[in-house]
Amino acid sequence: MSFEEDDTVILHDEHSDYDGQEGTITQVMDTMFGDSTYTISFEDGQQTGVPEDSLEAVEDEE
């Protein structure tokens, strides 16, 4: 599953200060290998270079 800007996600990275937190994708960057990495904005900061497999989509509450 790929993500787009403004998608809400949960980060799963035990080495990150934001592990388990919900954030919003602010930038999508394509690597030279055809993969994407993401910049995630959180309430108190941001995490850059996040691989797709470290993210979980948050379902819209409509």
Side-chain angles (χ1 to χ4, degrees), residues 21-58:
Q21 293 187 28
E22 188 175 301
T24 303
I25 295 176
T26 57
Q27 186 176 16
V28 178
M29 297 152 287
D30 293 323
T31 67
M32 65 182 177
F33 302 108
D35 299 324
S36 294
T37 59
Y38 302 90
T39 299
I40 315 298
S41 179
F42 298 96
E43 213 172 275
D44 58 348
Q46 71 177 9
Q47 180 85 27
T48 60
V50 179
E52 188 174 305
D53 61 355
S54 294
L55 300 175
E56 175 188 345
V58 173

